[in-house]
mmCIF file of all heavy atoms in Angstrom:
data_model
loop_
_atom_site.group_PDB
_atom_site.id
_atom_site.type_symbol
_atom_site.label_atom_id
_atom_site.label_comp_id
_atom_site.label_asym_id
_atom_site.label_seq_id
_atom_site.Cartn_x
_atom_site.Cartn_y
_atom_site.Cartn_z
ATOM 1 N N GLY A 594 4.298 10.000 -30.293
ATOM 2 C CA GLY A 594 3.196 10.873 -30.584
ATOM 3 C C GLY A 594 1.994 10.182 -31.151
ATOM 4 O O GLY A 594 0.870 10.662 -31.104
ATOM 5 N N ARG A 595 2.171 8.998 -31.723
ATOM 6 C CA ARG A 595 1.047 8.265 -32.305
ATOM 7 C C ARG A 595 1.260 6.779 -32.120
ATOM 8 O O ARG A 595 2.281 6.274 -32.584
ATOM 9 C CB ARG A 595 0.926 8.607 -33.791
ATOM 10 C CG ARG A 595 -0.253 7.928 -34.445
ATOM 11 C CD ARG A 595 -0.376 8.323 -35.929
ATOM 12 N NE ARG A 595 -1.389 7.623 -36.600
ATOM 13 C CZ ARG A 595 -2.694 8.008 -36.629
ATOM 14 N NH1 ARG A 595 -3.003 9.090 -35.986
ATOM 15 N NH2 ARG A 595 -3.604 7.295 -37.293
ATOM 16 N N SER A 596 0.374 6.121 -31.436
ATOM 17 C CA SER A 596 0.518 4.711 -31.164
ATOM 18 C C SER A 596 -0.851 4.052 -31.181
ATOM 19 O O SER A 596 -1.890 4.695 -31.159
ATOM 20 C CB SER A 596 1.267 4.489 -29.838
ATOM 21 O OG SER A 596 0.490 5.023 -28.768
ATOM 22 N N ASP A 597 -0.829 2.718 -31.118
ATOM 23 C CA ASP A 597 -2.084 1.982 -31.090
ATOM 24 C C ASP A 597 -1.842 0.633 -30.379
ATOM 25 O O ASP A 597 -0.727 0.116 -30.396
ATOM 26 C CB ASP A 597 -2.581 1.762 -32.528
ATOM 27 C CG ASP A 597 -4.050 1.226 -32.549
ATOM 28 O OD1 ASP A 597 -4.696 1.376 -31.495
ATOM 29 O OD2 ASP A 597 -4.451 0.725 -33.577
ATOM 30 N N TYR A 598 -2.878 0.145 -29.806
ATOM 31 C CA TYR A 598 -2.857 -1.170 -29.167
ATOM 32 C C TYR A 598 -3.139 -2.226 -30.271
ATOM 33 O O TYR A 598 -4.188 -2.188 -30.912
ATOM 34 C CB TYR A 598 -3.877 -1.285 -28.080
ATOM 35 C CG TYR A 598 -3.812 -2.547 -27.281
ATOM 36 C CD1 TYR A 598 -3.076 -2.594 -26.086
ATOM 37 C CD2 TYR A 598 -4.437 -3.717 -27.692
ATOM 38 C CE1 TYR A 598 -2.966 -3.722 -25.361
ATOM 39 C CE2 TYR A 598 -4.334 -4.895 -26.967
ATOM 40 C CZ TYR A 598 -3.634 -4.900 -25.789
ATOM 41 O OH TYR A 598 -3.531 -6.070 -25.048
ATOM 42 N N THR A 599 -2.226 -3.093 -30.489
ATOM 43 C CA THR A 599 -2.336 -4.037 -31.606
ATOM 44 C C THR A 599 -1.548 -5.344 -31.293
ATOM 45 O O THR A 599 -1.026 -5.499 -30.190
ATOM 46 C CB THR A 599 -1.842 -3.431 -32.925
ATOM 47 O OG1 THR A 599 -2.140 -4.286 -34.003
ATOM 48 C CG2 THR A 599 -0.352 -3.158 -32.893
ATOM 49 N N VAL A 600 -1.542 -6.212 -32.292
ATOM 50 C CA VAL A 600 -0.816 -7.507 -32.168
ATOM 51 C C VAL A 600 0.080 -7.710 -33.392
ATOM 52 O O VAL A 600 -0.286 -7.310 -34.488
ATOM 53 C CB VAL A 600 -1.794 -8.686 -32.027
ATOM 54 C CG1 VAL A 600 -2.549 -8.634 -30.684
ATOM 55 C CG2 VAL A 600 -2.796 -8.690 -33.161
ATOM 56 N N ILE A 601 1.249 -8.334 -33.111
ATOM 57 C CA ILE A 601 2.163 -8.582 -34.229
ATOM 58 C C ILE A 601 2.778 -9.965 -33.972
ATOM 59 O O ILE A 601 2.789 -10.456 -32.831
ATOM 60 C CB ILE A 601 3.266 -7.526 -34.371
ATOM 61 C CG1 ILE A 601 4.080 -7.442 -33.071
ATOM 62 C CG2 ILE A 601 2.688 -6.208 -34.769
ATOM 63 C CD1 ILE A 601 5.297 -6.508 -33.219
ATOM 64 N N GLY A 602 3.306 -10.577 -35.016
ATOM 65 C CA GLY A 602 3.960 -11.862 -34.927
ATOM 66 C C GLY A 602 3.611 -12.797 -36.056
ATOM 67 O O GLY A 602 2.679 -12.494 -36.835
ATOM 68 N N ASP A 603 4.286 -13.914 -36.145
ATOM 69 C CA ASP A 603 4.070 -14.927 -37.158
ATOM 70 C C ASP A 603 2.591 -15.418 -37.197
ATOM 71 O O ASP A 603 2.074 -15.580 -38.338
ATOM 72 C CB ASP A 603 5.026 -16.055 -37.025
ATOM 73 C CG ASP A 603 6.422 -15.715 -37.464
ATOM 74 O OD1 ASP A 603 6.584 -14.702 -38.211
ATOM 75 O OD2 ASP A 603 7.407 -16.418 -37.094
ATOM 76 N N PRO A 604 1.967 -15.677 -36.046
ATOM 77 C CA PRO A 604 0.575 -16.110 -36.138
ATOM 78 C C PRO A 604 -0.326 -15.092 -36.820
ATOM 79 O O PRO A 604 -1.296 -15.536 -37.506
ATOM 80 C CB PRO A 604 0.196 -16.284 -34.648
ATOM 81 C CG PRO A 604 1.474 -16.503 -33.929
ATOM 82 C CD PRO A 604 2.478 -15.674 -34.631
ATOM 83 N N ILE A 605 -0.011 -13.825 -36.715
ATOM 84 C CA ILE A 605 -0.843 -12.805 -37.368
ATOM 85 C C ILE A 605 -0.630 -12.877 -38.846
ATOM 86 O O ILE A 605 -1.591 -12.796 -39.656
ATOM 87 C CB ILE A 605 -0.427 -11.380 -36.849
ATOM 88 C CG1 ILE A 605 -0.344 -11.368 -35.309
ATOM 89 C CG2 ILE A 605 -1.413 -10.358 -37.365
ATOM 90 C CD1 ILE A 605 -1.615 -11.843 -34.606
ATOM 91 N N ASN A 606 0.626 -13.010 -39.274
ATOM 92 C CA ASN A 606 0.948 -13.093 -40.693
ATOM 93 C C ASN A 606 0.271 -14.335 -41.335
ATOM 94 O O ASN A 606 -0.279 -14.204 -42.465
ATOM 95 C CB ASN A 606 2.454 -13.178 -40.923
ATOM 96 C CG ASN A 606 3.133 -11.916 -40.370
ATOM 97 O OD1 ASN A 606 2.590 -10.859 -40.332
ATOM 98 N ND2 ASN A 606 4.392 -12.084 -39.984
ATOM 99 N N LEU A 607 0.291 -15.429 -40.635
ATOM 100 C CA LEU A 607 -0.337 -16.646 -41.197
ATOM 101 C C LEU A 607 -1.831 -16.444 -41.286
ATOM 102 O O LEU A 607 -2.485 -16.949 -42.221
ATOM 103 C CB LEU A 607 0.011 -17.842 -40.317
ATOM 104 C CG LEU A 607 -0.574 -19.178 -40.786
ATOM 105 C CD1 LEU A 607 -0.179 -19.506 -42.229
ATOM 106 C CD2 LEU A 607 -0.155 -20.325 -39.862
ATOM 107 N N GLY A 608 -2.427 -15.781 -40.282
ATOM 108 C CA GLY A 608 -3.879 -15.542 -40.343
ATOM 109 C C GLY A 608 -4.242 -14.691 -41.588
ATOM 110 O O GLY A 608 -5.238 -14.969 -42.236
ATOM 111 N N ALA A 609 -3.395 -13.722 -41.910
ATOM 112 C CA ALA A 609 -3.656 -12.952 -43.089
ATOM 113 C C ALA A 609 -3.511 -13.771 -44.394
ATOM 114 O O ALA A 609 -4.315 -13.640 -45.339
ATOM 115 C CB ALA A 609 -2.676 -11.753 -43.155
ATOM 116 N N ARG A 610 -2.508 -14.678 -44.387
ATOM 117 C CA ARG A 610 -2.329 -15.519 -45.573
ATOM 118 C C ARG A 610 -3.520 -16.503 -45.763
ATOM 119 O O ARG A 610 -3.953 -16.789 -46.890
ATOM 120 C CB ARG A 610 -1.047 -16.321 -45.436
ATOM 121 C CG ARG A 610 0.201 -15.547 -45.315
ATOM 122 C CD ARG A 610 0.552 -14.808 -46.599
ATOM 123 N NE ARG A 610 1.795 -14.057 -46.513
ATOM 124 C CZ ARG A 610 1.898 -12.826 -46.086
ATOM 125 N NH1 ARG A 610 0.822 -12.162 -45.747
ATOM 126 N NH2 ARG A 610 3.078 -12.230 -46.016
ATOM 127 N N LEU A 611 -4.027 -16.993 -44.660
ATOM 128 C CA LEU A 611 -5.172 -17.933 -44.718
ATOM 129 C C LEU A 611 -6.394 -17.235 -45.353
ATOM 130 O O LEU A 611 -7.128 -17.814 -46.106
ATOM 131 C CB LEU A 611 -5.525 -18.471 -43.336
ATOM 132 C CG LEU A 611 -4.508 -19.391 -42.751
ATOM 133 C CD1 LEU A 611 -4.861 -19.715 -41.277
ATOM 134 C CD2 LEU A 611 -4.463 -20.696 -43.520
ATOM 135 N N GLU A 612 -6.616 -15.963 -44.934
ATOM 136 C CA GLU A 612 -7.746 -15.230 -45.523
ATOM 137 C C GLU A 612 -7.532 -15.001 -47.018
ATOM 138 O O GLU A 612 -8.421 -15.145 -47.825
ATOM 139 C CB GLU A 612 -7.874 -13.879 -44.793
ATOM 140 C CG GLU A 612 -9.059 -13.049 -45.309
ATOM 141 C CD GLU A 612 -8.730 -12.263 -46.559
ATOM 142 O OE1 GLU A 612 -7.623 -11.736 -46.672
ATOM 143 O OE2 GLU A 612 -9.617 -12.217 -47.436
ATOM 144 N N ALA A 613 -6.298 -14.661 -47.398
ATOM 145 C CA ALA A 613 -5.998 -14.407 -48.791
ATOM 146 C C ALA A 613 -6.206 -15.644 -49.665
ATOM 147 O O ALA A 613 -6.493 -15.535 -50.896
ATOM 148 C CB ALA A 613 -4.524 -13.918 -48.917
ATOM 149 N N LEU A 614 -6.092 -16.887 -49.074
ATOM 150 C CA LEU A 614 -6.220 -18.119 -49.822
ATOM 151 C C LEU A 614 -7.698 -18.572 -49.915
ATOM 152 O O LEU A 614 -7.948 -19.583 -50.525
ATOM 153 C CB LEU A 614 -5.390 -19.204 -49.185
ATOM 154 C CG LEU A 614 -3.858 -19.015 -49.360
ATOM 155 C CD1 LEU A 614 -3.100 -20.033 -48.532
ATOM 156 C CD2 LEU A 614 -3.452 -19.179 -50.837
ATOM 157 N N CYS A 615 -8.619 -17.857 -49.299
ATOM 158 C CA CYS A 615 -10.038 -18.214 -49.371
ATOM 159 C C CYS A 615 -10.517 -18.256 -50.819
ATOM 160 O O CYS A 615 -11.214 -19.178 -51.250
ATOM 161 C CB CYS A 615 -10.916 -17.258 -48.529
ATOM 162 S SG CYS A 615 -10.828 -17.531 -46.763
ATOM 163 N N LYS A 616 -10.141 -17.220 -51.518
ATOM 164 C CA LYS A 616 -10.606 -17.152 -52.960
ATOM 165 C C LYS A 616 -9.972 -18.275 -53.814
ATOM 166 O O LYS A 616 -10.622 -18.892 -54.638
ATOM 167 C CB LYS A 616 -10.162 -15.781 -53.504
ATOM 168 C CG LYS A 616 -10.708 -15.544 -54.906
ATOM 169 C CD LYS A 616 -10.429 -14.151 -55.377
ATOM 170 C CE LYS A 616 -11.048 -13.860 -56.747
ATOM 171 N NZ LYS A 616 -10.735 -12.497 -57.225
ATOM 172 N N TYR A 617 -8.726 -18.578 -53.493
ATOM 173 C CA TYR A 617 -7.988 -19.624 -54.240
ATOM 174 C C TYR A 617 -8.697 -20.954 -54.026
ATOM 175 O O TYR A 617 -8.882 -21.756 -54.962
ATOM 176 C CB TYR A 617 -6.542 -19.705 -53.753
ATOM 177 C CG TYR A 617 -5.746 -20.841 -54.390
ATOM 178 C CD1 TYR A 617 -5.234 -20.705 -55.649
ATOM 179 C CD2 TYR A 617 -5.496 -21.969 -53.606
ATOM 180 C CE1 TYR A 617 -4.471 -21.756 -56.189
ATOM 181 C CE2 TYR A 617 -4.750 -22.968 -54.136
ATOM 182 C CZ TYR A 617 -4.243 -22.913 -55.456
ATOM 183 O OH TYR A 617 -3.489 -23.942 -55.989
ATOM 184 N N TYR A 618 -9.077 -21.227 -52.784
ATOM 185 C CA TYR A 618 -9.694 -22.517 -52.440
ATOM 186 C C TYR A 618 -11.219 -22.512 -52.541
ATOM 187 O O TYR A 618 -11.877 -23.508 -52.203
ATOM 188 C CB TYR A 618 -9.297 -22.972 -51.052
ATOM 189 C CG TYR A 618 -7.830 -23.368 -50.930
ATOM 190 C CD1 TYR A 618 -6.944 -22.556 -50.223
ATOM 191 C CD2 TYR A 618 -7.335 -24.519 -51.528
ATOM 192 C CE1 TYR A 618 -5.594 -22.942 -50.094
ATOM 193 C CE2 TYR A 618 -5.991 -24.884 -51.411
ATOM 194 C CZ TYR A 618 -5.148 -24.079 -50.717
ATOM 195 O OH TYR A 618 -3.781 -24.435 -50.599
ATOM 196 N N ASN A 619 -11.827 -21.328 -52.987
ATOM 197 C CA ASN A 619 -13.272 -21.221 -53.021
ATOM 198 C C ASN A 619 -13.911 -21.524 -51.691
ATOM 199 O O ASN A 619 -14.885 -22.229 -51.554
ATOM 200 C CB ASN A 619 -13.859 -22.137 -54.071
ATOM 201 C CG ASN A 619 -15.347 -21.821 -54.326
ATOM 202 O OD1 ASN A 619 -15.759 -20.692 -54.223
ATOM 203 N ND2 ASN A 619 -16.101 -22.905 -54.704
ATOM 204 N N SER A 620 -13.277 -20.945 -50.615
ATOM 205 C CA SER A 620 -13.771 -21.169 -49.255
ATOM 206 C C SER A 620 -14.106 -19.855 -48.597
ATOM 207 O O SER A 620 -13.494 -18.820 -48.878
ATOM 208 C CB SER A 620 -12.625 -21.851 -48.435
ATOM 209 O OG SER A 620 -12.947 -21.813 -47.084
ATOM 210 N N MET A 621 -15.175 -19.827 -47.747
ATOM 211 C CA MET A 621 -15.483 -18.633 -46.996
ATOM 212 C C MET A 621 -14.806 -18.547 -45.653
ATOM 213 O O MET A 621 -14.701 -17.479 -45.061
ATOM 214 C CB MET A 621 -16.989 -18.557 -46.810
ATOM 215 C CG MET A 621 -17.781 -18.209 -48.119
ATOM 216 S SD MET A 621 -19.535 -18.057 -47.857
ATOM 217 C CE MET A 621 -20.053 -19.756 -47.631
#
Side-chain angles (χ1 to χ4, degrees):
R595 181 179 176 85
S596 62
D597 192 17
Y598 187 94
T599 188
V600 292
I601 58 173
D603 284 343
I605 313 305
N606 299 333
L607 180 55
R610 299 293 183 270
L611 290 171
E612 182 278 319
L614 290 171
C615 283
K616 187 175 182 180
Y617 175 80
Y618 291 111
N619 190 31
S620 167
M621 289 183 285

